[in-house]
Amino acid sequence: MPIEAAIGQPKGVSAPVQRPLTSIIIPTYNDRDRVHVAIGSALQQERAAVEVIVVDDGSTDGTVDRLAEVFPRDVALRVISIQHGGPATARNAGIEAARGEFVCFLDSDDTIEPTSVADRLAAMTPEVGFVVSDTRIVEPDGRAELASKRYGYEAKGVGGWIAEKLEAGNFIPIHAPLIRRSAIGDLRFEDRDLEDWHFWYALAKDHRCRYLPRALATYRKRAASRNATARATPANRPGVVMPLRLNLGCGTPGALSWHPMPGLVNLDKSMGWRFEDGLRDFADESVAGITVSHALMYVLDVN
């Protein structure tokens, strides 16, 4: 059961909270020497009412004691301690504790800009469930690149209904979206590799997004992290079911020739994929059938 620490409770917690309130959820595990930087960036939000929820995922390095030393008791900071369960479990505990009308996530070694919450709130419109901003990605060697450039946001046309685009690969860093709490509903992170990709896909199936072309967060990649070994394989992509069905020759995402099929693993030889090599990603019992979508397209187009 989560245990909420006494530190960091806002003064007059029983008084009405300024609206709209945004809950910034920061999971942390054995990161006592870095997490205070992420928390500081979250607490320094301008023109926005925020509560910062730090979920300590069973740290053994004295993280909670360190936070009690660094932050005074009158800041809008809540610290929840849970048994070690991984990032999905920690983020879910944060969602359960969130009191805000809006929610966003921040990893413990990253930061957001002072206007990150306010700018995304200003971009929120009634017809969308979440706003995705650009993110600065910093590699372990110091090289930096915008997510919009790395993942080709302009070509993808990020915005609106994007679930189909997410089937091809995740292009949303964990810090980028600000989400309506009502849009999250009962949705939670799954305890699996690439849990954020699956969360965004499930969210995007039911809710439109709006893209804000402004870098409002900095994502610092580590050479070693809890998800460093996670790899996108046909079996762990969102939108596919087991046993797998392969859809070969489906074209390039975003092109007129793109013919993905829901529930299938979409592979395209024109992108360099070879059938013989691709089979190595599958266990013998994992493939139920194979479809060639270009062939079906031409058959269906014959008058």
Side-chain angles (χ1 to χ4, degrees):
M1 177 178 296
I3 300 174
E4 187 162 333
I7 71 169
Q9 294 293 345
K11 287 181 177 179
V13 70
S14 60
V17 180
Q18 180 182 350
R19 298 294 181 182
L21 178 69
T22 296
S23 301
I24 304 175
I25 298 171
I26 305 176
T28 187
Y29 175 68
N30 286 347
D31 211 7
R32 57 166 284 164
D33 294 328
R34 278 185 285 232
V35 66
H36 65 280
V37 178
I39 295 171
S41 74
L43 290 173
Q44 293 168 8
Q45 291 303 293
E46 300 173 358
R47 308 190 315 275
V50 301
E51 63 168 1
V52 180
I53 303 173
V54 176
V55 184
D56 180 62
D57 187 24
S59 296
T60 58
D61 65 348
T63 293
V64 174
D65 292 337
R66 175 64 172 161
L67 293 181
E69 296 172 359
V70 173
F71 294 97
R73 294 176 59 87
D74 61 344
V75 297
L77 172 65
R78 301 161 62 197
V79 179
I80 297 172
S81 296
I82 63 173
Q83 292 184 345
H84 182 56
T89 300
R91 290 188 186 118
N92 289 340
I95 292 173
E96 295 293 339
R99 299 176 299 187
E101 295 179 30
F102 299 90
V103 170
C104 58
F105 301 98
L106 178 63
D107 282 351
S108 63
D109 53 350
D110 302 318
T111 57
I112 55 177
E113 297 300 311
T115 62
S116 179
V117 170
D119 288 350
R120 286 179 291 177
L121 282 175
M124 185 73 70
T125 55
E127 68 273 10
V128 303
F130 59 114
V131 171
V132 175
S133 70
D134 206 349
T135 300
R136 186 178 300 101
I137 302 172
V138 181
E139 298 291 341
D141 62 5
R143 291 180 297 112
E145 184 179 24
L146 292 178
S148 56
K149 180 179 178 181
R150 174 167 299 188
Y151 300 117
Y153 282 7
E154 185 175 353
K156 280 185 172 65
V158 174
W161 297 104
I162 62 171
E164 183 177 307
K165 298 169 185 176
L166 282 166
E167 288 181 358
N170 187 24
F171 49 84
I172 302 178
I174 192 67
H175 333 75
L178 182 130
I179 316 157
R180 293 185 190 277
R181 181 62 180 82
S182 59
I184 294 176
D186 296 327
L187 177 63
R188 297 294 183 269
F189 288 89
E190 300 178 30
D191 185 14
R192 59 179 302 163
D193 286 342
L194 308 173
E195 76 287 341
D196 52 339
W197 184 11
H198 287 262
F199 186 88
W200 303 141
Y201 175 75
L203 179 69
K205 285 198 300 183
D206 294 328
H207 300 279
R208 295 183 180 91
C209 85
R210 185 178 183 189
Y211 172 55
L212 178 62
R214 193 174 304 163
L216 297 176
T218 298
Y219 167 33
R220 293 175 177 84
K221 298 182 71 174
R222 293 196 223 172
S225 66
R226 283 191 283 181
N227 280 340
T229 59
R231 185 174 73 92
T233 65
N236 67 16
R237 289 177 178 272
V240 301
V241 295
M242 295 291 288
L244 300 170
R245 291 187 59 87
L246 310 185
N247 176 28
L248 308 184
C250 58
T252 303
L256 292 176
S257 60
W258 177 234
H259 288 83
M261 301 187 73
L264 274 66
V265 178
N266 298 295
L267 301 170
D268 182 18
K269 189 171 182 179
S270 69
M271 294 186 287
W273 180 85
R274 294 195 311 166
F275 183 74
E276 299 84 0
D277 295 336
L279 281 180
R280 298 171 189 167
D281 284 334
F282 303 95
D284 290 340
E285 298 82 10
S286 66
V287 178
I290 297 173
T291 300
V292 182
S293 64
H294 268 55
L296 292 177
M297 176 183 68
Y298 294 133
V299 170
L300 292 174
D301 283 347
V302 172
N303 293 323

